[in-house]
Amino acid sequence: MDGLIGFPQAIESVFPQTQVQLCIVHMIRASLNYVTWKDRKQVVADLKPIYKAATADEAERQLSGFEEKWKSRYPAISRLWREHWERVIPFFAFSEEVRKIVYTTNAVESLHMSLRKIIKTRGSFPTEEAAFKLLYLALARVVAKWETVQHWKQMLNYLDTMSSDRIRKLAACGKTQTHSKLTSGMSRSSPESARRLSGG
């Protein structure tokens, strides 16, 4: 997830078993907020060995090296990484292929942007069900354009191995609740709408 203040704590309070991984791209962007334009390229290059390290221990050694080089000019950067270190390092437990999927939230942000665009053009909705139906249709259009994420099969195997029971339980619960809300909301509009949107 990104670096919004309080967001990790909010997620963990609702889902205690959640493993929070901060977006590395957001960490880099946040670091560059402290850097002059002429140093940006070198700072980015020096941060790379941290998140490209093979292990969390190696990453910490690289962070110490970065700190030694830049602490006199940009002490806030190493402080930023150390303050968030426990939520930076979880992805080092993954294989290299899986890391390429989880180290950034860009895919999720793209989805959120698509949904926000749909909502923004409407302004207001007569009911909650009306908004829910519009989001459902928007998701259907977005999903139709999705391409297979590189290394997704490895990620799927990892998730199935490490958290299969939790995933299946949540998927079954979410599917039941979504179907119930869709059909109950749409049946008040028209039976044809409910059949069309539910795939019937």
Side-chain angles (χ1 to χ4, degrees):
M1 61 181 59
D2 60 27
L4 288 175
I5 295 174
F7 195 20
Q9 292 85 350
I11 295 294
E12 290 167 338
S13 69
V14 178
F15 304 103
Q17 292 181 284
T18 298
Q19 186 177 50
V20 174
Q21 170 65 53
L22 288 181
C23 175
I24 300 299
V25 173
H26 277 83
M27 289 293 295
I28 295 170
R29 290 174 184 166
S31 299
L32 292 180
N33 287 335
Y34 302 102
V35 181
T36 62
W37 183 257
K38 69 182 183 69
D39 288 335
R40 287 167 74 92
K41 187 174 181 180
Q42 188 58 53
V43 167
V44 169
D46 289 343
L47 286 172
K48 191 172 183 179
I50 299 173
Y51 62 87
K52 286 289 187 179
T55 65
D57 289 341
E58 174 61 21
E60 189 160 13
R61 285 193 289 272
Q62 293 293 342
L63 177 58
S64 295
F66 177 93
E67 189 173 27
E68 184 65 28
K69 179 176 179 178
W70 293 104
K71 65 180 179 181
S72 61
R73 183 171 292 186
Y74 305 120
I77 297 178
S78 55
R79 185 165 60 248
L80 172 73
W81 283 74
R82 291 198 181 280
E83 286 175 355
H84 294 90
W85 194 244
E86 291 306 310
R87 292 192 170 108
V88 167
I89 61 174
F91 87 138
F92 287 110
F94 306 152
S95 67
E96 185 177 353
E97 292 81 7
V98 172
R99 290 187 204 179
K100 292 178 181 178
I101 295 176
V102 301
Y103 90 108
T104 177
T105 58
N106 284 350
V108 176
E109 289 177 8
S110 176
L111 174 60
H112 289 173
M113 183 177 66
S114 299
L115 297 180
R116 284 198 302 269
K117 185 178 179 181
I118 292 293
I119 294 295
K120 211 181 262 189
T121 57
R122 296 302 187 277
S124 62
F125 297 89
T127 64
E128 181 182 350
E129 286 80 5
F132 196 83
K133 284 189 285 184
L134 186 65
L135 289 172
Y136 181 88
L137 288 169
L139 281 170
R141 286 196 294 270
V142 171
V143 169
K145 297 178 182 179
W146 277 354
E147 298 178 358
T148 302
V149 177
Q150 190 177 16
H151 305 303
W152 173 246
K153 295 298 184 182
Q154 291 91 328
M155 182 64 177
L156 192 59
N157 274 280
Y158 174 85
L159 292 174
D160 188 72
T161 301
M162 301 301 294
S163 308
S164 59
D165 291 342
R166 290 167 57 193
I167 292 171
R168 290 176 185 133
K169 183 178 178 181
L170 287 171
C173 179
K175 185 176 181 181
T176 300
Q177 291 177 352
T178 300
H179 183 269
S180 174
K181 184 174 281 191
L182 280 171
T183 53
S184 64
M186 292 173 194
S187 61
R188 289 193 284 273
S189 304
S190 75
E192 179 58 31
S193 296
R195 284 196 299 273
R196 184 171 64 253
L197 294 180
S198 63

